[in-house]
Amino acid sequence: MNNITSYIKENKERFLNELQELLKIPSISADSAYSKDVLKTAEVIKISLSKAGCNLVEIHETAGYPIVYGEKIIDPKLPTVLVYGHYDVQPPDPIKLWDSPPFEPVIKKTALHPDGAIFARGACDDKGQMYMHVKALEFMTETDQLPCNVKFMIEGEEEVGSNNLALFVKENRNKLKNDIILISDTGMIANDVPSITTGLRGLSYVEVEITGPNRDLHSGLYGGAVANPINILSKMIASLHDENNHITIPGFYDKVEELSKAERAEMAKAPFSLDEYRKALDIDAVYGEEGYTTNERNSIRPTLDVNGIWGGYIGEGAKTVIASKAYAKISMRLVPNQDWEEITELFSKHFETIAPKGVTVKVTPHHGGQGYVTPIDTIGYQAANKAYTKTFGIPAIPQRSGGSIPIVSLFEEELESKTILMGFGLDSDAIHSPNEHFGVWNYLKGIETIPYFYKYFTEMNRS
Amino acid sequence: MNNITSYIKENKERFLNELQELLKIPSISADSAYSKDVLKTAEVIKISLSKAGCNLVEIHETAGYPIVYGEKIIDPKLPTVLVYGHYDVQPPDPIKLWDSPPFEPVIKKTALHPDGAIFARGACDDKGQMYMHVKALEFMTETDQLPCNVKFMIEGEEEVGSNNLALFVKENRNKLKNDIILISDTGMIANDVPSITTGLRGLSYVEVEITGPNRDLHSGLYGGAVANPINILSKMIASLHDENNHITIPGFYDKVEELSKAERAEMAKAPFSLDEYRKALDIDAVYGEEGYTTNERNSIRPTLDVNGIWGGYIGEGAKTVIASKAYAKISMRLVPNQDWEEITELFSKHFETIAPKGVTVKVTPHHGGQGYVTPIDTIGYQAANKAYTKTFGIPAIPQRSGGSIPIVSLFEEELESKTILMGFGLDSDAIHSPNEHFGVWNYLKGIETIPYFYKYFTEMNRS
């Protein structure tokens, strides 16, 4: 790839400005109050794809938010890369914990990002990482170095389960036909330790509602005499883990892929400092499933976490009330072979079973997706690894991520092609948290590395 | 008491209108946003006491909301009744469960209130019941039938712990000197089953905060590897009760007054239908401490209830986050001999002890108060019982209430006089809940019964 470093150097300011403009739009897919902004973001992506060189760009309406599709086909005989990303973002709350407004991007230096990082919701997940691909395409078309065909599929519902994308994929198998799917929606171990994500956890996300008495009650007159939905919900949640932090839902582990000693030993080689991990989170100890290391707990093991809980009086001061209802949002991260719909079913059955008399339970599935594991002996993986080696100077480490991109396993099923997860963010970039950011160096390094993937992938396919 | 029924009949509409005007002011002491309204309510009470015949009315400023004091001394040699009540109300939320706005009183008929009931926050607790005493005084002064001296002490912080009232009482022992304290801030069993409350539970109300990681985390990248404050809080709350629903805090039951078989048998005579109780609350079963009946569980036994819980993402849709913090408001109802400050101490110690590594715990006491039991062989109780017998046609049943009026035990301690709890509301009046109401019949019956208490109490003191 000729002149790539100089091209990036010359256009650095513009690359940063374009991304910051994109980050100013609060495209929060989970909150309908922002629907106009989500739709506006799709329009912006469409325009940026045309400018970057796509010769066909379309906005596909869905039952939810639209999918932006773009392509540049230079020769049907050449391989085709399908880039997937999303333009929607997580809700920013708790707002008060942000040092700067989530939708007013600012660049600040940090210990891990001495060249500065862009602070804004979506900076890393996924606007920043998705836009690297747009700018990489721009470079390849501007300099006539695009070695193969490329297709873009950018959706607006990744943070809420990608339900409509699944339908779109099923209905557009031909349009989306490709030889490899490329996604930057994961992280890497460190700026000097490039890694390629070879595994993702599946997800089952549910909301539960516990109803006790038909109205809020005075806790003095009724306290101790009726089932208190909040106490009961706490009891039920507590019972979902045993004393070894194993999940107690019957059948939950039946299909869990157990890694061999050798595989676990290989994993353990990834550089990791428990002290630094604890220090970064300001906790005196880690906590999790007995018999597994921290890196295993958040990658190869399924987990259950309450993401939100509420009920009763949560205002200022005190109210002596027994609430009629209590609620929780609960998500389970799943590992290969666990089917998210089956797990959702197992959870619902179990949760209803453990409810004592005096309350009723309602479980509402939110969304979910299967886990994914990709082999490392494929052309796709080798091409990616060669690209990292070229731009980072060292090969990438294969790494299982604890996160979920529910759609990936569906891609393999429907489009019959593998996915390469080239992530350039860091775990400490606080995605889904206040003060999310993305290193300027990482952003530009991604733009530099991606074209090499196209180059090597095309060459390896030829030979 | 001559012409009392005719006087009430002639002034019924005015009595109802005056109360409804009072109920229109949102005097929510727990929420500082309503401080102006709370202060305005004190002014309205002051004026109404003057109009009712008090020859001295004062507003006493405190560190919090003021105390309205009024008196009519007709002869120092005659006994003095001290009336206590409060003009502040509970927060109305959840607002959306109200059939009519909480501060726009309406009169509607109900199954238990065929003559209609006033629906509004504070209708029963305690504006309605407190105002009965103002109108009873009006009757006695207007018709020259006040048989003794009377003092009023109406506070604005009962719903938030009466902290400043305690100080006021200590500093004004002489001003408040009396022979009997009269309070209408409790209920009665049914309109055809008058009862006098002879016991109140104490209260300890705390707020707890669990802190895990120093920021909200992505539940995929960190799920299962760090202590999730919501899961931990649920576990800790669940552990506060054992499988028999006994409270597990060490020392919690040490000083609990155990009633004799005879006393429990006496209690059991109060009319009660478990079926109707369940039906009224729309629950398939009651729930509580093993070995005790429903009426015992909410009166003679101490209890622990979570009044509010919150943490993580509680908005629309889904957010895959591990919250940095989780919170709960927890209150314990205490029985005679349990000291609320000691119990608060025991709770705090225990709660901090059961926290696992990986989280920190903060317990903040809100407020509390001692329980209270009054003997039934006193002149005060006998006079009250005779008054009920006169106006209801049958004697009243002594009843232990599960509620708390923290200040009552302090009255006995500081003012060395007993308290008579003449309540005219029903448990089903939904105090502290949406659609709180107070029967028109009950309101007027209270105004009719109270003057007879003055009459009989004065006569019994003479003999």
Side-chain angles (χ1 to χ4, degrees), chain A residues 337-401:
Chain A
N337 306 338
Q338 282 184 300
D339 176 77
W340 78 271
E341 279 164 322
E342 184 185 347
I343 292 293
T344 304
E345 183 66 25
L346 287 174
F347 175 92
S348 306
K349 273 215 196 74
H350 177 65
F351 209 68
E352 282 155 12
T353 314
I354 60 177
K357 280 194 166 192
V359 301
T360 56
V361 179
K362 196 171 119 207
V363 179
T364 311
H366 259 305
H367 65 276
Q370 311 296 27
Y372 180 75
V373 178
T374 186
I376 66 175
D377 56 7
T378 59
I379 290 180
Y381 186 88
Q382 297 305 330
N385 196 18
K386 195 169 173 187
Y388 278 101
T389 311
K390 171 77 180 175
T391 56
F392 283 76
I394 46 170
I397 293 174
Q399 180 201 29
R400 289 274 195 107
S401 163

Coordinates of all heavy atoms in Angstrom, one line a residue, chain A residues 337-401:
Chain A
N337 N -21.9 -23.3 21.7 CA -22.8 -24.4 21.8 C -24.1 -24.1 22.7 O -25.1 -24.9 22.6 CB -22.1 -25.7 22.4 CG -20.9 -26.0 21.5 OD1 -20.8 -25.6 20.3 ND2 -20.0 -26.7 22.1
Q338 N -24.0 -23.1 23.5 CA -25.2 -22.7 24.2 C -26.1 -22.0 23.2 O -25.7 -21.0 22.6 CB -24.9 -21.8 25.4 CG -24.3 -22.5 26.6 CD -24.1 -21.6 27.8 OE1 -23.4 -20.6 27.7 NE2 -24.8 -21.8 28.9
D339 N -27.4 -22.4 23.1 CA -28.3 -21.7 22.3 C -29.1 -20.7 23.0 O -29.7 -21.0 24.1 CB -29.3 -22.8 21.7 CG -30.4 -22.1 20.8 OD1 -30.1 -21.7 19.7 OD2 -31.5 -21.9 21.3
W340 N -29.1 -19.4 22.6 CA -29.6 -18.3 23.4 C -31.1 -18.5 23.6 O -31.6 -18.1 24.7 CB -29.2 -17.0 22.8 CG -30.1 -16.5 21.6 CD1 -29.8 -16.8 20.3 CD2 -31.2 -15.7 21.7 NE1 -30.7 -16.2 19.5 CE2 -31.6 -15.5 20.3 CE3 -32.0 -15.2 22.7 CZ2 -32.8 -14.8 20.0 CZ3 -33.1 -14.4 22.3 CH2 -33.5 -14.3 21.0
E341 N -31.8 -19.0 22.6 CA -33.3 -19.1 22.8 C -33.6 -20.2 23.8 O -34.5 -20.1 24.6 CB -33.9 -19.4 21.5 CG -34.1 -18.1 20.7 CD -34.4 -18.3 19.2 OE1 -33.9 -19.2 18.6 OE2 -35.2 -17.5 18.7
E342 N -32.8 -21.3 23.8 CA -33.0 -22.4 24.7 C -32.7 -21.9 26.2 O -33.4 -22.2 27.1 CB -32.1 -23.5 24.4 CG -32.2 -24.8 25.2 CD -31.2 -25.9 24.9 OE1 -30.6 -25.8 23.8 OE2 -31.1 -26.8 25.7
I343 N -31.6 -21.1 26.3 CA -31.2 -20.6 27.6 C -32.2 -19.6 28.1 O -32.6 -19.7 29.3 CB -29.8 -19.9 27.5 CG1 -28.7 -20.9 27.2 CG2 -29.5 -19.1 28.8 CD1 -28.5 -21.9 28.4
T344 N -32.8 -18.8 27.2 CA -33.8 -17.8 27.6 C -35.0 -18.6 28.2 O -35.6 -18.3 29.2 CB -34.3 -17.0 26.5 OG1 -33.1 -16.3 25.9 CG2 -35.3 -16.0 26.9
E345 N -35.3 -19.7 27.5 CA -36.4 -20.6 27.9 C -36.1 -21.2 29.3 O -37.0 -21.2 30.2 CB -36.6 -21.7 26.9 CG -37.8 -22.6 27.1 CD -39.1 -21.9 27.0 OE1 -39.2 -20.9 26.3 OE2 -40.1 -22.4 27.7
L346 N -34.9 -21.7 29.5 CA -34.5 -22.4 30.7 C -34.6 -21.3 31.9 O -35.1 -21.6 32.9 CB -33.1 -22.9 30.7 CG -32.9 -24.2 29.8 CD1 -31.4 -24.5 29.7 CD2 -33.7 -25.3 30.4
F347 N -34.1 -20.1 31.6 CA -34.2 -19.1 32.6 C -35.6 -18.8 33.0 O -36.0 -18.8 34.2 CB -33.5 -17.8 32.1 CG -33.7 -16.6 33.1 CD1 -32.7 -16.4 34.0 CD2 -34.8 -15.8 33.1 CE1 -32.8 -15.4 35.0 CE2 -34.9 -14.8 34.0 CZ -33.9 -14.6 34.9
S348 N -36.5 -18.5 32.0 CA -37.9 -18.2 32.3 C -38.5 -19.2 33.1 O -39.2 -19.0 34.1 CB -38.6 -18.0 31.0 OG -37.9 -17.0 30.2
K349 N -38.4 -20.5 32.7 CA -39.0 -21.6 33.4 C -38.5 -21.6 34.9 O -39.3 -21.6 35.8 CB -38.7 -22.9 32.8 CG -39.6 -23.4 31.6 CD -39.8 -24.9 31.6 CE -40.4 -25.4 30.3 NZ -39.4 -25.3 29.2
H350 N -37.2 -21.6 35.0 CA -36.6 -21.6 36.4 C -37.1 -20.5 37.2 O -37.5 -20.6 38.4 CB -35.1 -21.7 36.3 CG -34.4 -21.7 37.6 ND1 -34.5 -22.7 38.5 CD2 -33.6 -20.8 38.2 CE1 -33.8 -22.5 39.6 NE2 -33.3 -21.3 39.4
F351 N -37.0 -19.3 36.7 CA -37.4 -18.1 37.4 C -38.8 -18.1 37.9 O -39.1 -17.7 39.1 CB -37.1 -16.8 36.6 CG -36.7 -15.6 37.5 CD1 -35.5 -15.6 38.2 CD2 -37.6 -14.5 37.6 CE1 -35.2 -14.5 38.9 CE2 -37.2 -13.4 38.4 CZ -36.0 -13.4 39.0
E352 N -39.7 -18.6 37.1 CA -41.1 -18.7 37.5 C -41.2 -19.8 38.6 O -42.0 -19.7 39.5 CB -42.0 -19.0 36.3 CG -42.2 -17.8 35.4 CD -42.6 -18.1 34.0 OE1 -42.8 -19.3 33.6 OE2 -42.5 -17.2 33.2
T353 N -40.4 -20.9 38.5 CA -40.5 -22.0 39.4 C -40.1 -21.5 40.8 O -40.7 -22.0 41.8 CB -39.5 -23.1 39.0 OG1 -39.7 -23.3 37.6 CG2 -39.8 -24.4 39.8
I354 N -39.0 -20.7 40.9 CA -38.5 -20.4 42.3 C -39.3 -19.3 43.0 O -39.0 -18.9 44.1 CB -37.0 -20.0 42.2 CG1 -36.8 -18.7 41.3 CG2 -36.2 -21.1 41.7 CD1 -35.4 -18.3 41.2
A355 N -40.3 -18.7 42.3 CA -41.1 -17.7 42.9 C -42.0 -18.3 44.0 O -42.7 -19.3 43.8 CB -42.0 -17.0 41.9
P356 N -41.9 -17.7 45.2 CA -42.8 -18.3 46.3 C -44.3 -17.8 46.1 O -44.5 -17.0 45.3 CB -42.2 -17.6 47.6 CG -41.7 -16.3 47.1 CD -41.1 -16.6 45.7
K357 N -45.1 -18.5 46.8 CA -46.5 -18.1 46.8 C -46.6 -16.6 47.3 O -45.7 -16.2 48.1 CB -47.4 -19.0 47.7 CG -47.8 -20.3 47.1 CD -48.9 -21.0 47.9 CE -49.5 -22.1 47.0 NZ -50.7 -22.6 47.6
G358 N -47.6 -15.9 46.9 CA -47.8 -14.5 47.3 C -47.3 -13.5 46.3 O -47.5 -12.3 46.5
V359 N -46.5 -14.0 45.3 CA -46.1 -13.1 44.2 C -46.4 -13.8 42.9 O -46.5 -15.0 42.8 CB -44.6 -12.7 44.3 CG1 -44.3 -12.0 45.6 CG2 -43.8 -13.9 44.1
T360 N -46.5 -13.0 41.8 CA -46.5 -13.5 40.5 C -45.3 -13.0 39.7 O -44.8 -11.9 40.0 CB -47.8 -13.1 39.7 OG1 -47.9 -11.7 39.7 CG2 -49.1 -13.6 40.4
V361 N -44.9 -13.8 38.7 CA -43.7 -13.4 38.0 C -44.0 -13.3 36.5 O -44.7 -14.1 35.9 CB -42.6 -14.5 38.1 CG1 -41.3 -14.2 37.4 CG2 -42.3 -14.8 39.6
K362 N -43.4 -12.3 35.9 CA -43.5 -12.1 34.4 C -42.0 -12.0 33.9 O -41.3 -11.1 34.4 CB -44.3 -10.9 34.1 CG -44.8 -10.9 32.6 CD -45.8 -9.8 32.4 CE -45.2 -8.8 31.3 NZ -45.8 -7.4 31.5
V363 N -41.6 -12.8 33.0 CA -40.3 -12.7 32.3 C -40.5 -12.3 30.9 O -41.3 -13.0 30.2 CB -39.6 -14.1 32.4 CG1 -38.2 -13.9 31.7 CG2 -39.4 -14.5 33.9
T364 N -39.9 -11.2 30.5 CA -40.0 -10.7 29.1 C -38.6 -10.8 28.4 O -37.7 -10.0 28.8 CB -40.5 -9.3 29.1 OG1 -41.7 -9.2 29.9 CG2 -40.9 -8.9 27.6
P365 N -38.4 -11.7 27.5 CA -37.1 -11.7 26.7 C -36.9 -10.4 26.0 O -37.9 -9.9 25.3 CB -37.3 -12.9 25.8 CG -38.4 -13.7 26.3 CD -39.4 -12.7 27.0
H366 N -35.8 -9.8 26.1 CA -35.5 -8.6 25.3 C -34.9 -9.0 24.0 O -35.4 -8.7 22.9 CB -34.5 -7.7 26.1 CG -35.1 -6.6 26.8 ND1 -35.9 -5.7 26.2 CD2 -35.1 -6.2 28.1 CE1 -36.3 -4.8 27.0 NE2 -35.8 -5.1 28.2
H367 N -33.7 -9.6 24.0 CA -33.1 -10.0 22.8 C -31.9 -11.0 23.1 O -31.7 -11.3 24.3 CB -32.5 -8.8 22.0 CG -31.4 -8.1 22.7 ND1 -31.7 -7.1 23.6 CD2 -30.1 -8.2 22.6 CE1 -30.5 -6.7 24.1 NE2 -29.5 -7.3 23.5
G368 N -31.3 -11.5 22.1 CA -30.1 -12.4 22.4 C -29.4 -12.7 21.1 O -29.7 -12.2 20.0
G369 N -28.5 -13.6 21.2 CA -27.7 -14.1 20.0 C -26.7 -15.2 20.4 O -26.4 -15.4 21.6
Q370 N -26.3 -15.9 19.4 CA -25.4 -17.1 19.7 C -23.9 -16.6 19.9 O -23.6 -15.5 19.4 CB -25.4 -18.1 18.5 CG -26.8 -18.5 18.1 CD -27.6 -19.2 19.1 OE1 -27.4 -19.0 20.3 NE2 -28.6 -20.0 18.7
G371 N -23.2 -17.4 20.5 CA -21.7 -17.2 20.6 C -21.1 -17.5 19.3 O -21.7 -18.0 18.4
Y372 N -19.8 -17.3 19.2 CA -19.1 -17.6 17.9 C -17.6 -17.8 18.2 O -17.0 -17.2 19.1 CB -19.2 -16.3 17.1 CG -18.5 -16.4 15.7 CD1 -19.1 -17.2 14.7 CD2 -17.3 -15.8 15.4 CE1 -18.5 -17.3 13.5 CE2 -16.7 -15.9 14.2 CZ -17.3 -16.7 13.2 OH -16.7 -16.8 12.0
V373 N -17.1 -18.8 17.5 CA -15.6 -19.1 17.6 C -15.1 -19.3 16.1 O -15.8 -20.0 15.3 CB -15.3 -20.4 18.4 CG1 -13.8 -20.6 18.4 CG2 -15.8 -20.2 19.8
T374 N -14.0 -18.6 15.8 CA -13.5 -18.7 14.5 C -12.1 -19.4 14.5 O -11.3 -19.2 15.4 CB -13.3 -17.4 13.8 OG1 -13.0 -17.6 12.4 CG2 -12.3 -16.5 14.5
P375 N -11.9 -20.3 13.6 CA -10.6 -21.0 13.5 C -9.5 -20.0 13.1 O -9.8 -19.0 12.4 CB -10.8 -22.1 12.5 CG -11.9 -21.6 11.6 CD -12.8 -20.8 12.5
I376 N -8.2 -20.3 13.4 CA -7.1 -19.4 13.0 C -6.3 -19.9 11.8 O -5.4 -19.3 11.4 CB -6.2 -19.2 14.2 CG1 -5.4 -20.4 14.6 CG2 -7.0 -18.7 15.4 CD1 -4.4 -20.2 15.7
D377 N -6.8 -21.0 11.3 CA -6.0 -21.6 10.1 C -6.6 -21.2 8.8 O -6.4 -21.8 7.8 CB -5.9 -23.1 10.2 CG -7.2 -23.8 10.3 OD1 -8.3 -23.0 10.2 OD2 -7.3 -25.0 10.6
T378 N -7.5 -20.1 8.8 CA -8.1 -19.7 7.6 C -7.3 -18.6 6.9 O -6.5 -17.9 7.5 CB -9.5 -19.2 7.9 OG1 -9.4 -18.0 8.8 CG2 -10.4 -20.2 8.5
I379 N -7.6 -18.4 5.6 CA -6.9 -17.3 4.8 C -7.3 -16.0 5.5 O -6.4 -15.2 5.7 CB -7.4 -17.4 3.4 CG1 -6.8 -18.6 2.6 CG2 -7.0 -16.1 2.7 CD1 -7.2 -18.7 1.2
G380 N -8.6 -15.9 5.9 CA -9.0 -14.6 6.5 C -8.2 -14.3 7.7 O -7.6 -13.2 7.8
Y381 N -8.0 -15.2 8.6 CA -7.2 -15.0 9.8 C -5.8 -14.7 9.5 O -5.2 -13.7 10.0 CB -7.3 -16.2 10.8 CG -6.7 -15.9 12.1 CD1 -7.4 -15.3 13.2 CD2 -5.3 -16.1 12.3 CE1 -6.8 -14.9 14.4 CE2 -4.7 -15.8 13.5 CZ -5.4 -15.2 14.5 OH -4.8 -14.9 15.7
Q382 N -5.2 -15.5 8.6 CA -3.8 -15.3 8.2 C -3.6 -13.9 7.6 O -2.6 -13.3 7.9 CB -3.4 -16.4 7.2 CG -3.4 -17.8 7.8 CD -2.6 -17.9 9.2 OE1 -1.6 -17.2 9.3 NE2 -3.1 -18.8 10.1
A383 N -4.5 -13.5 6.7 CA -4.4 -12.2 6.1 C -4.4 -11.1 7.2 O -3.6 -10.1 7.1 CB -5.5 -12.0 5.1
A384 N -5.3 -11.2 8.1 CA -5.5 -10.2 9.2 C -4.2 -10.2 10.0 O -3.6 -9.1 10.3 CB -6.7 -10.6 10.1
N385 N -3.7 -11.4 10.3 CA -2.5 -11.4 11.2 C -1.3 -10.8 10.4 O -0.5 -10.1 11.0 CB -2.2 -12.9 11.5 CG -1.2 -13.0 12.6 OD1 -1.0 -12.1 13.4 ND2 -0.6 -14.2 12.8
K386 N -1.2 -11.0 9.1 CA -0.1 -10.5 8.3 C -0.2 -8.9 8.3 O 0.8 -8.2 8.3 CB -0.1 -11.0 6.9 CG 1.1 -10.8 6.1 CD 1.1 -11.6 4.8 CE 2.4 -11.3 4.0 NZ 2.3 -11.9 2.6
A387 N -1.5 -8.4 8.2 CA -1.7 -7.0 8.2 C -1.2 -6.4 9.5 O -0.5 -5.4 9.5 CB -3.2 -6.7 8.0
Y388 N -1.6 -7.0 10.7 CA -1.1 -6.5 12.0 C 0.4 -6.5 12.0 O 1.0 -5.6 12.5 CB -1.7 -7.4 13.1 CG -3.1 -7.0 13.5 CD1 -4.2 -7.8 13.1 CD2 -3.4 -5.9 14.3 CE1 -5.5 -7.5 13.4 CE2 -4.7 -5.6 14.7 CZ -5.7 -6.4 14.3 OH -7.0 -6.1 14.7
T389 N 1.0 -7.7 11.6 CA 2.4 -7.8 11.6 C 3.1 -6.7 10.8 O 4.1 -6.1 11.3 CB 2.9 -9.1 11.0 OG1 2.0 -10.2 11.6 CG2 4.3 -9.4 11.3
K390 N 2.5 -6.3 9.7 CA 3.0 -5.2 8.9 C 3.0 -3.9 9.6 O 4.0 -3.1 9.6 CB 2.2 -5.2 7.6 CG 2.5 -4.0 6.7 CD 3.8 -4.2 5.9 CE 4.1 -3.0 5.0 NZ 5.5 -3.0 4.4
T391 N 1.8 -3.5 10.2 CA 1.7 -2.2 10.7 C 2.1 -2.1 12.2 O 2.4 -1.0 12.7 CB 0.2 -1.7 10.6 OG1 -0.6 -2.6 11.2 CG2 -0.2 -1.6 9.1
F392 N 2.0 -3.2 12.9 CA 2.4 -3.1 14.4 C 3.8 -3.7 14.6 O 4.4 -3.5 15.6 CB 1.5 -4.0 15.2 CG 0.1 -3.3 15.5 CD1 -0.8 -3.2 14.5 CD2 -0.1 -2.7 16.7 CE1 -2.1 -2.6 14.8 CE2 -1.3 -2.1 17.0 CZ -2.3 -2.1 16.0
G393 N 4.4 -4.4 13.5 CA 5.7 -4.9 13.7 C 5.8 -6.2 14.4 O 6.8 -6.9 14.5
I394 N 4.6 -6.7 15.0 CA 4.6 -8.0 15.6 C 3.3 -8.7 15.3 O 2.3 -8.0 15.0 CB 4.7 -7.9 17.1 CG1 3.8 -6.8 17.7 CG2 6.1 -7.6 17.6 CD1 3.6 -6.8 19.2
P395 N 3.2 -10.0 15.3 CA 2.0 -10.7 15.0 C 0.9 -10.5 16.1 O 1.3 -10.1 17.2 CB 2.4 -12.2 14.9 CG 3.7 -12.3 15.6 CD 4.3 -11.0 15.5
A396 N -0.3 -10.7 15.7 CA -1.4 -10.5 16.7 C -1.7 -11.8 17.5 O -1.4 -12.9 17.0 CB -2.7 -10.2 15.9
I397 N -2.2 -11.7 18.7 CA -2.5 -12.8 19.5 C -4.0 -13.1 19.4 O -4.8 -12.3 19.4 CB -2.2 -12.5 21.0 CG1 -0.7 -12.3 21.2 CG2 -2.8 -13.6 21.9 CD1 -0.4 -11.8 22.7
P398 N -4.3 -14.4 19.1 CA -5.7 -14.8 19.1 C -6.3 -14.7 20.5 O -5.7 -15.1 21.5 CB -5.7 -16.2 18.6 CG -4.4 -16.8 18.9 CD -3.4 -15.6 18.9
Q399 N -7.5 -14.0 20.6 CA -8.1 -13.8 21.9 C -9.6 -14.0 21.9 O -10.3 -13.5 21.0 CB -7.8 -12.3 22.3 CG -8.3 -11.9 23.7 CD -8.4 -10.4 23.8 OE1 -8.6 -9.7 22.8 NE2 -8.4 -9.9 25.0
R400 N -10.1 -14.7 22.9 CA -11.6 -14.8 23.1 C -12.1 -13.6 23.8 O -11.5 -13.1 24.8 CB -11.9 -16.0 24.0 CG -11.6 -17.4 23.3 CD -12.8 -17.8 22.5 NE -12.6 -19.2 22.2 CZ -13.4 -20.2 22.8 NH1 -14.3 -19.9 23.7 NH2 -13.2 -21.5 22.5
S401 N -13.1 -13.0 23.3 CA -13.7 -11.8 23.9 C -15.0 -12.2 24.7 O -15.6 -13.1 24.4 CB -14.1 -10.7 22.9 OG -15.0 -9.8 23.5

